[in-house]
Amino acid sequence: MAALDQSAAQADSRKGRLIATPAALYLLFFFMIPLGVIVTYSFATRTATGRTVLTGWNLSSYDKLFSELVLRIIWRSFWMASVTTILCLLVAYPFAYYLATRAPKVRNILLVLVMIPFWTNGLIRIFAIRFLLGSDGPASQLSENLGFGTFRILFTPTAVVIGMVYSFLTFMVLPLYVAIERMDWKLVEAARDLYAGGTVAFRKVTWPLTRSGVIAGSILVFVPSFGSYVVPEILGGAKTMLLGSYVARQFGAARNFPFGAALSVVLIAVMLIAVVINQRAEANRA
Amino acid sequence: MTMNGSANAVELHGVVKKFGDVTAVNCIDLTIADGEFFSLLGPSGCGKTTILRMIAGFEFPTAGHLAVDGQKMGLTPPDQRPVNTVFQNYALFPHMTVLENVMFGLLMKKVPKDKAREAAKKVLDQVRLGALGERKSSQLSGGQQQRVALARALVNKPKVLLLDEPLGALDLKLRQEMQSELKSLHTEVGITFVYVTHDQEEALTMSDRIGVMSEGNLLQVDTPDRIYEHPTKRFVADFIGEINMLAATVADDGTVQLGSEQIKLDGLSPEVGQSFTLAIRPESIDLTGPDQGVEPGLNQISGTVTHRTYFGDAYSYDVETGGGVLSVRCDNRPDHQRFNEGDAVKVSWRPDSSSVLKD
């Protein structure tokens, strides 16, 4: 009997492995190997002509991370990603709350509306924002017609943050929606029943119970914002160099693959830390 | 509006609740006395929970008004009402410990933390959960969660405790245990309990009074024994237990014509010629041999046993009579005279143990 059980379990796990094989192979070739290449390159040497030599392993690329210029770029990327995350949270939470409390029919329509922008190429949408925010663009003209004068925000950090909030908002909305939607509203009623006013009930019950969504959404927004390349390239100015663009530059004009690789490793490390924080928080809740 | 201690715990005056086109609660007048254990009994969707939610302040009446402890409630939000609720699935805060759950209401009322903790511990002891204060609610069994929910509400010493099918999620054994525990807790704390259930047995065993509801209407409000023994509406008779319902008319000499038989009826005197439904519980009917003497003054009809069912503690007989088929239930006692299918028998009952039903 036990032997039969065991062989059945073995067959099951064999079948499971078989199903996972395509994905495993794909990730091995297009994720694990490139990742290994990047890590390897980060310890390699750049010759004077910009070639990468895979001998004489060293940490000089990591040393360069601590130069003032690089630290400033990392810091700028960090706070712009933070501002983007906070703004996304402020915009998305009320909306996700509204979404989750509608009748299922309305909810589905609104969810589709949230997704629709993704049917258009992201690059084109960012160019549209560039047009919108330009000093002679519609936003500026509207402001002038209303008597507030024209404004210049294109090619400033503000424009980059606006663009990033726009690009990543959905990543905040969806996990928040899921968290709020699956919350038991009876718990809020229980809090109200136990003398908590509306605001207090939100603070003591709704917010803590939807925190998993807040954390998941924040990571999903923070991570791509931190390494964002397209948005700052199109909406940011020369003065607001961010990490993503800086990495790209190392692999492009600067031809410093080892340094670019080291920067990428740092990015990956930051994201890993974020994921670990999330999992810790989840584990604490359970 | 009285402000003294003898105010009614809950009063409903012409309360109507509509959700869109659907009338959930249809013009209900009801007074629940201070300290009473009152049950709202009815099938799901009958509006009983809606009434509870209106008392709690989660819903507001479409028309009419309600008062708690003599105070008109109007649009008073739930946090400002002197009532607490035990929710159907307990609704314990999963991110708090048992003790934090129980302290919640007190802290919201700005009771100092150490005092709140002390009071919470005391109530947890009262529901025999004193040792589990530091657990998370998800680590408790259903019965324990039920007790925490009770403690969390009772610790606030509300004027009225609202219980929404609180035993529905428990298994039979635990449910029976909790029934007697709830009843003694009610006596102990002296708080008015308004208890919503679809379980007739729960309502009958625990309540001081029961209100039976159907389709948004409150059909009959009475003590458990009156509800069971003398239902006034067809629905009430049918919903609670088994009952014989027979078509009857009032004969001109004041007796009741039941098919080809004539019987007597106590108390009620409907008009001559009027037809109505006569209801009588199977266990209120006695079964005897055709030649046995029957106490004078009882209604008696002769008939034939058509079917017998054995229940262990009782026998159930179907008896064909001139007045219709009667279901008769006899306790299976050593002296019980057993009848077989086809036996000629006599059925008899006291004139005051039958009821007159309106629709």
mmCIF file of all heavy atoms in Angstrom, chain B residues 294-333:
data_model
loop_
_atom_site.group_PDB
_atom_site.id
_atom_site.type_symbol
_atom_site.label_atom_id
_atom_site.label_comp_id
_atom_site.label_asym_id
_atom_site.label_seq_id
_atom_site.Cartn_x
_atom_site.Cartn_y
_atom_site.Cartn_z
ATOM 1 N N VAL B 294 -62.839 7.180 26.558
ATOM 2 C CA VAL B 294 -62.042 8.392 26.463
ATOM 3 C C VAL B 294 -62.588 9.383 27.468
ATOM 4 O O VAL B 294 -63.798 9.465 27.682
ATOM 5 C CB VAL B 294 -62.125 8.957 25.028
ATOM 6 C CG1 VAL B 294 -61.522 10.341 24.962
ATOM 7 C CG2 VAL B 294 -61.441 8.030 24.044
ATOM 8 N N GLU B 295 -61.686 10.105 28.108
ATOM 9 C CA GLU B 295 -62.056 11.129 29.080
ATOM 10 C C GLU B 295 -63.187 11.999 28.523
ATOM 11 O O GLU B 295 -63.126 12.410 27.372
ATOM 12 C CB GLU B 295 -60.835 12.028 29.305
ATOM 13 C CG GLU B 295 -60.538 12.358 30.752
ATOM 14 C CD GLU B 295 -59.323 13.241 30.831
ATOM 15 O OE1 GLU B 295 -58.214 12.754 30.504
ATOM 16 O OE2 GLU B 295 -59.507 14.421 31.165
ATOM 17 N N PRO B 296 -64.220 12.280 29.312
ATOM 18 C CA PRO B 296 -65.299 13.127 28.783
ATOM 19 C C PRO B 296 -64.790 14.534 28.483
ATOM 20 O O PRO B 296 -63.858 15.017 29.112
ATOM 21 C CB PRO B 296 -66.328 13.138 29.916
ATOM 22 C CG PRO B 296 -65.562 12.751 31.142
ATOM 23 C CD PRO B 296 -64.457 11.841 30.688
ATOM 24 N N GLY B 297 -65.389 15.200 27.507
ATOM 25 C CA GLY B 297 -64.994 16.574 27.160
ATOM 26 C C GLY B 297 -63.966 16.640 26.068
ATOM 27 O O GLY B 297 -63.739 17.695 25.492
ATOM 28 N N LEU B 298 -63.329 15.516 25.744
ATOM 29 C CA LEU B 298 -62.335 15.528 24.662
ATOM 30 C C LEU B 298 -63.037 15.389 23.318
ATOM 31 O O LEU B 298 -64.096 14.778 23.219
ATOM 32 C CB LEU B 298 -61.351 14.371 24.820
ATOM 33 C CG LEU B 298 -60.439 14.344 26.044
ATOM 34 C CD1 LEU B 298 -59.348 13.289 25.850
ATOM 35 C CD2 LEU B 298 -59.814 15.714 26.273
ATOM 36 N N ASN B 299 -62.415 15.954 22.304
ATOM 37 C CA ASN B 299 -62.879 15.687 20.948
ATOM 38 C C ASN B 299 -62.455 14.286 20.582
ATOM 39 O O ASN B 299 -61.322 13.885 20.839
ATOM 40 C CB ASN B 299 -62.235 16.665 19.962
ATOM 41 C CG ASN B 299 -62.823 18.058 20.103
ATOM 42 O OD1 ASN B 299 -64.044 18.211 20.171
ATOM 43 N ND2 ASN B 299 -61.948 19.046 20.164
ATOM 44 N N GLN B 300 -63.353 13.530 19.986
ATOM 45 C CA GLN B 300 -62.935 12.208 19.540
ATOM 46 C C GLN B 300 -63.531 11.854 18.191
ATOM 47 O O GLN B 300 -64.694 12.116 17.914
ATOM 48 C CB GLN B 300 -63.245 11.145 20.582
ATOM 49 C CG GLN B 300 -64.637 11.266 21.200
ATOM 50 C CD GLN B 300 -64.844 10.155 22.200
ATOM 51 O OE1 GLN B 300 -64.753 8.984 21.860
ATOM 52 N NE2 GLN B 300 -65.132 10.520 23.442
ATOM 53 N N ILE B 301 -62.685 11.268 17.374
ATOM 54 C CA ILE B 301 -63.085 10.846 16.038
ATOM 55 C C ILE B 301 -62.554 9.438 15.845
ATOM 56 O O ILE B 301 -61.449 9.133 16.305
ATOM 57 C CB ILE B 301 -62.454 11.731 14.936
ATOM 58 C CG1 ILE B 301 -62.583 13.215 15.258
ATOM 59 C CG2 ILE B 301 -63.076 11.435 13.588
ATOM 60 C CD1 ILE B 301 -61.953 14.109 14.206
ATOM 61 N N SER B 302 -63.309 8.604 15.142
ATOM 62 C CA SER B 302 -62.764 7.280 14.854
ATOM 63 C C SER B 302 -62.144 7.265 13.464
ATOM 64 O O SER B 302 -62.505 8.052 12.596
ATOM 65 C CB SER B 302 -63.840 6.205 14.985
ATOM 66 O OG SER B 302 -65.003 6.611 14.280
ATOM 67 N N GLY B 303 -61.182 6.372 13.333
ATOM 68 C CA GLY B 303 -60.478 6.308 12.055
ATOM 69 C C GLY B 303 -59.730 5.009 11.914
ATOM 70 O O GLY B 303 -59.867 4.095 12.723
ATOM 71 N N THR B 304 -58.880 4.945 10.871
ATOM 72 C CA THR B 304 -58.113 3.742 10.579
ATOM 73 C C THR B 304 -56.650 4.118 10.377
ATOM 74 O O THR B 304 -56.341 5.108 9.704
ATOM 75 C CB THR B 304 -58.622 3.095 9.274
ATOM 76 O OG1 THR B 304 -60.038 3.084 9.294
ATOM 77 C CG2 THR B 304 -58.074 1.699 9.106
ATOM 78 N N VAL B 305 -55.760 3.311 10.987
ATOM 79 C CA VAL B 305 -54.328 3.565 10.798
ATOM 80 C C VAL B 305 -53.948 3.190 9.371
ATOM 81 O O VAL B 305 -54.221 2.079 8.913
ATOM 82 C CB VAL B 305 -53.499 2.737 11.801
ATOM 83 C CG1 VAL B 305 -52.008 2.874 11.497
ATOM 84 C CG2 VAL B 305 -53.806 3.175 13.225
ATOM 85 N N THR B 306 -53.323 4.110 8.644
ATOM 86 C CA THR B 306 -52.909 3.800 7.275
ATOM 87 C C THR B 306 -51.401 3.641 7.162
ATOM 88 O O THR B 306 -50.896 3.067 6.219
ATOM 89 C CB THR B 306 -53.341 4.906 6.288
ATOM 90 O OG1 THR B 306 -52.789 6.148 6.737
ATOM 91 C CG2 THR B 306 -54.847 5.001 6.202
ATOM 92 N N HIS B 307 -50.700 4.179 8.148
ATOM 93 C CA HIS B 307 -49.246 4.110 8.042
ATOM 94 C C HIS B 307 -48.619 4.285 9.411
ATOM 95 O O HIS B 307 -49.123 5.046 10.227
ATOM 96 C CB HIS B 307 -48.758 5.214 7.098
ATOM 97 C CG HIS B 307 -47.334 5.029 6.684
ATOM 98 N ND1 HIS B 307 -46.949 4.063 5.795
ATOM 99 C CD2 HIS B 307 -46.205 5.682 7.051
ATOM 100 C CE1 HIS B 307 -45.641 4.132 5.628
ATOM 101 N NE2 HIS B 307 -45.159 5.100 6.385
ATOM 102 N N ARG B 308 -47.521 3.533 9.662
ATOM 103 C CA ARG B 308 -46.846 3.681 10.943
ATOM 104 C C ARG B 308 -45.351 3.834 10.686
ATOM 105 O O ARG B 308 -44.778 3.131 9.860
ATOM 106 C CB ARG B 308 -47.099 2.451 11.811
ATOM 107 C CG ARG B 308 -46.523 2.615 13.220
ATOM 108 C CD ARG B 308 -46.709 1.355 14.027
ATOM 109 N NE ARG B 308 -45.817 0.307 13.577
ATOM 110 C CZ ARG B 308 -45.969 -0.982 13.905
ATOM 111 N NH1 ARG B 308 -46.988 -1.374 14.652
ATOM 112 N NH2 ARG B 308 -45.117 -1.879 13.468
ATOM 113 N N THR B 309 -44.734 4.793 11.377
ATOM 114 C CA THR B 309 -43.287 4.994 11.246
ATOM 115 C C THR B 309 -42.648 4.930 12.617
ATOM 116 O O THR B 309 -43.172 5.497 13.580
ATOM 117 C CB THR B 309 -42.973 6.371 10.614
ATOM 118 O OG1 THR B 309 -43.800 6.551 9.475
ATOM 119 C CG2 THR B 309 -41.511 6.469 10.212
ATOM 120 N N TYR B 310 -41.530 4.219 12.690
ATOM 121 C CA TYR B 310 -40.835 4.051 13.972
ATOM 122 C C TYR B 310 -39.697 5.059 14.085
ATOM 123 O O TYR B 310 -38.888 5.188 13.166
ATOM 124 C CB TYR B 310 -40.276 2.622 14.025
ATOM 125 C CG TYR B 310 -39.512 2.294 15.279
ATOM 126 C CD1 TYR B 310 -40.133 2.374 16.524
ATOM 127 C CD2 TYR B 310 -38.185 1.898 15.214
ATOM 128 C CE1 TYR B 310 -39.436 2.052 17.673
ATOM 129 C CE2 TYR B 310 -37.484 1.581 16.360
ATOM 130 C CZ TYR B 310 -38.112 1.659 17.590
ATOM 131 O OH TYR B 310 -37.423 1.348 18.723
ATOM 132 N N PHE B 311 -39.631 5.835 15.162
ATOM 133 C CA PHE B 311 -38.580 6.834 15.343
ATOM 134 C C PHE B 311 -37.638 6.490 16.481
ATOM 135 O O PHE B 311 -36.798 7.289 16.851
ATOM 136 C CB PHE B 311 -39.186 8.208 15.640
ATOM 137 C CG PHE B 311 -39.722 8.882 14.422
ATOM 138 C CD1 PHE B 311 -41.071 8.835 14.125
ATOM 139 C CD2 PHE B 311 -38.866 9.557 13.557
ATOM 140 C CE1 PHE B 311 -41.567 9.458 12.995
ATOM 141 C CE2 PHE B 311 -39.364 10.174 12.431
ATOM 142 C CZ PHE B 311 -40.714 10.123 12.146
ATOM 143 N N GLY B 312 -37.811 5.324 17.114
ATOM 144 C CA GLY B 312 -36.994 5.009 18.277
ATOM 145 C C GLY B 312 -37.661 5.513 19.526
ATOM 146 O O GLY B 312 -38.222 4.747 20.299
ATOM 147 N N ASP B 313 -37.659 6.827 19.717
ATOM 148 C CA ASP B 313 -38.282 7.375 20.927
ATOM 149 C C ASP B 313 -39.783 7.558 20.749
ATOM 150 O O ASP B 313 -40.478 7.907 21.686
ATOM 151 C CB ASP B 313 -37.619 8.700 21.318
ATOM 152 C CG ASP B 313 -37.794 9.763 20.260
ATOM 153 O OD1 ASP B 313 -38.040 9.397 19.076
ATOM 154 O OD2 ASP B 313 -37.686 10.954 20.588
ATOM 155 N N ALA B 314 -40.281 7.350 19.557
ATOM 156 C CA ALA B 314 -41.703 7.580 19.314
ATOM 157 C C ALA B 314 -42.177 6.801 18.092
ATOM 158 O O ALA B 314 -41.379 6.323 17.290
ATOM 159 C CB ALA B 314 -41.958 9.076 19.107
ATOM 160 N N TYR B 315 -43.507 6.680 18.012
ATOM 161 C CA TYR B 315 -44.135 6.149 16.806
ATOM 162 C C TYR B 315 -44.942 7.273 16.169
ATOM 163 O O TYR B 315 -45.539 8.084 16.871
ATOM 164 C CB TYR B 315 -45.093 5.006 17.139
ATOM 165 C CG TYR B 315 -44.409 3.701 17.457
ATOM 166 C CD1 TYR B 315 -44.168 3.336 18.774
ATOM 167 C CD2 TYR B 315 -44.028 2.839 16.425
ATOM 168 C CE1 TYR B 315 -43.547 2.139 19.070
ATOM 169 C CE2 TYR B 315 -43.400 1.633 16.716
ATOM 170 C CZ TYR B 315 -43.167 1.290 18.030
ATOM 171 O OH TYR B 315 -42.556 0.106 18.309
ATOM 172 N N SER B 316 -44.946 7.289 14.866
ATOM 173 C CA SER B 316 -45.805 8.231 14.183
ATOM 174 C C SER B 316 -46.816 7.449 13.362
ATOM 175 O O SER B 316 -46.465 6.499 12.659
ATOM 176 C CB SER B 316 -44.966 9.133 13.274
ATOM 177 O OG SER B 316 -45.826 9.903 12.464
ATOM 178 N N TYR B 317 -48.088 7.804 13.527
ATOM 179 C CA TYR B 317 -49.149 7.111 12.791
ATOM 180 C C TYR B 317 -49.863 8.091 11.870
ATOM 181 O O TYR B 317 -50.091 9.246 12.247
ATOM 182 C CB TYR B 317 -50.199 6.550 13.760
ATOM 183 C CG TYR B 317 -49.676 5.521 14.730
ATOM 184 C CD1 TYR B 317 -49.254 5.902 16.003
ATOM 185 C CD2 TYR B 317 -49.628 4.175 14.372
ATOM 186 C CE1 TYR B 317 -48.788 4.958 16.903
ATOM 187 C CE2 TYR B 317 -49.155 3.225 15.275
ATOM 188 C CZ TYR B 317 -48.744 3.623 16.531
ATOM 189 O OH TYR B 317 -48.287 2.697 17.413
ATOM 190 N N ASP B 318 -50.215 7.630 10.691
ATOM 191 C CA ASP B 318 -51.168 8.376 9.862
ATOM 192 C C ASP B 318 -52.526 7.717 10.056
ATOM 193 O O ASP B 318 -52.660 6.504 9.883
ATOM 194 C CB ASP B 318 -50.784 8.304 8.383
ATOM 195 C CG ASP B 318 -49.573 9.179 8.089
ATOM 196 O OD1 ASP B 318 -49.213 9.990 8.967
ATOM 197 O OD2 ASP B 318 -48.991 9.043 6.998
ATOM 198 N N VAL B 319 -53.521 8.528 10.435
ATOM 199 C CA VAL B 319 -54.849 7.975 10.707
ATOM 200 C C VAL B 319 -55.860 8.632 9.778
ATOM 201 O O VAL B 319 -56.003 9.859 9.750
ATOM 202 C CB VAL B 319 -55.262 8.206 12.181
ATOM 203 C CG1 VAL B 319 -56.647 7.600 12.433
ATOM 204 C CG2 VAL B 319 -54.230 7.621 13.126
ATOM 205 N N GLU B 320 -56.534 7.794 9.024
ATOM 206 C CA GLU B 320 -57.574 8.276 8.110
ATOM 207 C C GLU B 320 -58.867 8.448 8.902
ATOM 208 O O GLU B 320 -59.337 7.500 9.530
ATOM 209 C CB GLU B 320 -57.755 7.230 7.000
ATOM 210 C CG GLU B 320 -58.848 7.532 5.994
ATOM 211 C CD GLU B 320 -58.283 8.240 4.779
ATOM 212 O OE1 GLU B 320 -57.337 7.702 4.185
ATOM 213 O OE2 GLU B 320 -58.781 9.342 4.449
ATOM 214 N N THR B 321 -59.421 9.661 8.913
ATOM 215 C CA THR B 321 -60.668 9.908 9.652
ATOM 216 C C THR B 321 -61.654 10.633 8.748
ATOM 217 O O THR B 321 -61.296 11.034 7.630
ATOM 218 C CB THR B 321 -60.431 10.803 10.880
ATOM 219 O OG1 THR B 321 -60.159 12.125 10.423
ATOM 220 C CG2 THR B 321 -59.259 10.319 11.733
ATOM 221 N N GLY B 322 -62.843 10.793 9.262
ATOM 222 C CA GLY B 322 -63.860 11.522 8.509
ATOM 223 C C GLY B 322 -63.506 12.986 8.330
ATOM 224 O O GLY B 322 -64.050 13.676 7.475
ATOM 225 N N GLY B 323 -62.578 13.464 9.150
ATOM 226 C CA GLY B 323 -62.188 14.873 9.056
ATOM 227 C C GLY B 323 -60.937 15.074 8.236
ATOM 228 O O GLY B 323 -60.469 16.198 8.092
ATOM 229 N N GLY B 324 -60.346 14.016 7.735
ATOM 230 C CA GLY B 324 -59.100 14.116 6.975
ATOM 231 C C GLY B 324 -58.040 13.226 7.582
ATOM 232 O O GLY B 324 -58.294 12.545 8.583
ATOM 233 N N VAL B 325 -56.846 13.202 7.000
ATOM 234 C CA VAL B 325 -55.769 12.368 7.518
ATOM 235 C C VAL B 325 -55.059 13.125 8.634
ATOM 236 O O VAL B 325 -54.669 14.278 8.470
ATOM 237 C CB VAL B 325 -54.760 12.009 6.406
ATOM 238 C CG1 VAL B 325 -53.607 11.200 6.987
ATOM 239 C CG2 VAL B 325 -55.445 11.254 5.290
ATOM 240 N N LEU B 326 -54.925 12.471 9.786
ATOM 241 C CA LEU B 326 -54.248 13.095 10.917
ATOM 242 C C LEU B 326 -52.945 12.365 11.185
ATOM 243 O O LEU B 326 -52.903 11.138 11.197
ATOM 244 C CB LEU B 326 -55.121 13.014 12.170
ATOM 245 C CG LEU B 326 -56.263 14.002 12.283
ATOM 246 C CD1 LEU B 326 -57.158 13.612 13.449
ATOM 247 C CD2 LEU B 326 -55.724 15.412 12.473
ATOM 248 N N SER B 327 -51.873 13.153 11.407
ATOM 249 C CA SER B 327 -50.624 12.564 11.837
ATOM 250 C C SER B 327 -50.620 12.576 13.357
ATOM 251 O O SER B 327 -50.896 13.605 13.973
ATOM 252 C CB SER B 327 -49.458 13.376 11.277
ATOM 253 O OG SER B 327 -48.258 12.919 11.830
ATOM 254 N N VAL B 328 -50.344 11.428 13.970
ATOM 255 C CA VAL B 328 -50.378 11.307 15.428
ATOM 256 C C VAL B 328 -49.019 10.812 15.891
ATOM 257 O O VAL B 328 -48.470 9.876 15.314
ATOM 258 C CB VAL B 328 -51.475 10.307 15.872
ATOM 259 C CG1 VAL B 328 -51.493 10.194 17.387
ATOM 260 C CG2 VAL B 328 -52.825 10.733 15.330
ATOM 261 N N ARG B 329 -48.478 11.442 16.914
ATOM 262 C CA ARG B 329 -47.180 11.018 17.412
ATOM 263 C C ARG B 329 -47.317 10.519 18.847
ATOM 264 O O ARG B 329 -47.859 11.218 19.706
ATOM 265 C CB ARG B 329 -46.200 12.186 17.345
ATOM 266 C CG ARG B 329 -44.743 11.760 17.532
ATOM 267 C CD ARG B 329 -43.857 12.987 17.432
ATOM 268 N NE ARG B 329 -42.498 12.655 17.835
ATOM 269 C CZ ARG B 329 -41.530 12.343 16.979
ATOM 270 N NH1 ARG B 329 -41.762 12.330 15.682
ATOM 271 N NH2 ARG B 329 -40.323 12.064 17.428
ATOM 272 N N CYS B 330 -46.887 9.299 19.101
ATOM 273 C CA CYS B 330 -46.985 8.722 20.440
ATOM 274 C C CYS B 330 -45.596 8.394 20.950
ATOM 275 O O CYS B 330 -44.815 7.759 20.250
ATOM 276 C CB CYS B 330 -47.805 7.431 20.413
ATOM 277 S SG CYS B 330 -49.441 7.647 19.712
ATOM 278 N N ASP B 331 -45.322 8.814 22.184
ATOM 279 C CA ASP B 331 -44.038 8.466 22.794
ATOM 280 C C ASP B 331 -43.928 6.964 22.908
ATOM 281 O O ASP B 331 -44.902 6.282 23.224
ATOM 282 C CB ASP B 331 -43.935 9.078 24.202
ATOM 283 C CG ASP B 331 -43.634 10.553 24.127
ATOM 284 O OD1 ASP B 331 -43.232 11.016 23.019
ATOM 285 O OD2 ASP B 331 -43.801 11.244 25.150
ATOM 286 N N ASN B 332 -42.737 6.442 22.679
ATOM 287 C CA ASN B 332 -42.518 5.005 22.774
ATOM 288 C C ASN B 332 -42.215 4.629 24.215
ATOM 289 O O ASN B 332 -41.088 4.361 24.578
ATOM 290 C CB ASN B 332 -41.376 4.598 21.838
ATOM 291 C CG ASN B 332 -41.190 3.101 21.808
ATOM 292 O OD1 ASN B 332 -42.067 2.367 22.251
ATOM 293 N ND2 ASN B 332 -40.055 2.666 21.295
ATOM 294 N N ARG B 333 -43.276 4.656 25.042
ATOM 295 C CA ARG B 333 -43.104 4.274 26.447
ATOM 296 C C ARG B 333 -43.498 2.819 26.618
ATOM 297 O O ARG B 333 -44.196 2.262 25.772
ATOM 298 C CB ARG B 333 -43.972 5.165 27.333
ATOM 299 C CG ARG B 333 -43.513 6.624 27.344
ATOM 300 C CD ARG B 333 -44.698 7.532 27.600
ATOM 301 N NE ARG B 333 -45.371 7.156 28.817
ATOM 302 C CZ ARG B 333 -45.397 7.906 29.917
ATOM 303 N NH1 ARG B 333 -44.810 9.082 29.916
ATOM 304 N NH2 ARG B 333 -46.024 7.509 30.984
#
